[in-house]
Amino acid sequence: MRFPMFIACIAAAAALSSAEAQTSTTIAPPSGTKTLAATLNVYAFPGAGQVPTQQAQDETECYNWAVNETGNDPFHIAQQAAQQQQQAAQQQAAAQQSTSGSAVKGAVAGAAGGALIGAIAGNAGKGAAIGAGVGAIGNRARATSQANQATQQSQQQQQAAAKISHQQMDAFKKAFSACLEAKKYTVKY
């Protein structure tokens, strides 16, 4: 006799939990569009039951506030970073291009000097050949060294610019998050 009563209790509990599940607050499925915060890799969860339209409005207000407070606009920062990378790539290409033809220029100058010295020594042709070889090697080495220095300097400038961009973005995200937290959102970035 106790067994049927036990089954009845389980059935009642199941019915009650089913009714609770139907009356509990449902979470709306994702709309498919990224929020402003998500675009910035900042994740904001509404802590006070804010609806998506309210969250979008709050994020826009906090975005504008953070731009005014920090002086950093994330979309402008990204644009600057892209321009700096393009400039660095152009500088590196120019540095590498400066080495082409340097051996020929050095050979011509070396041959002229070698011919002059060879003429004094009695064999202008041999002096020109030796001078051309020395000039080509010397000028090529000098151009390669200068190109390497220019490439290294360009990389250092690019790293410094990236560090500044990261710091500006971090400052913006801190301000943006602080504003959203004040509006009762849980925020992670």
Side-chain angles (χ1 to χ4, degrees):
M1 281 201 141
R2 289 186 180 194
F3 188 67
M5 189 166 196
F6 176 71
I7 291 178
C9 287
I10 290 177
L16 181 60
S17 68
S18 175
E20 285 178 8
Q22 291 175 355
T23 61
S24 67
T25 305
T26 58
I27 298 175
S31 64
T33 58
K34 250 183 159 179
T35 65
L36 179 58
T39 302
L40 298 169
N41 291 328
V42 175
Y43 302 96
F45 182 78
Q50 297 95 327
V51 294
T53 54
Q54 180 63 47
Q55 184 172 352
Q57 181 180 346
D58 290 343
E59 288 179 3
T60 301
E61 290 172 5
C62 287
Y63 176 88
N64 292 331
W65 180 82
V67 168
N68 288 333
E69 283 298 307
T70 64
N72 300 321
D73 185 339
F75 298 109
H76 184 67
I77 293 169
Q79 189 178 34
Q80 281 180 325
Q83 288 173 348
Q84 289 167 346
Q85 286 180 342
Q86 185 180 9
Q87 287 174 349
Q90 289 172 347
Q91 287 174 347
Q92 287 177 349
Q96 294 302 323
Q97 192 175 23
S98 70
T99 61
S100 67
S102 61
V104 174
K105 292 174 191 172
V108 170
L116 185 61
I117 293 172
I120 294 171
N123 189 344
K126 188 175 182 181
I130 293 171
V134 171
I137 292 170
N139 214 32
R140 178 67 178 209
R142 191 171 27 266
T144 301
S145 175
Q146 289 173 346
N148 289 341
Q149 287 175 345
T151 299
Q152 186 178 19
Q153 183 180 15
S154 174
Q155 289 172 344
Q156 289 172 347
Q157 289 172 347
Q158 190 174 4
Q159 289 172 349
K163 184 177 179 180
I164 290 170
S165 293
H166 180 73
Q167 289 171 342
Q168 290 173 333
M169 192 64 154
D170 193 47
F172 173 86
K173 285 182 178 182
K174 284 179 184 178
F176 183 66
S177 296
C179 178
L180 286 173
E181 287 172 355
K183 291 180 179 279
K184 307 254 191 269
Y185 290 87
T186 301
V187 183
K188 298 288 181 199
Y189 69 93

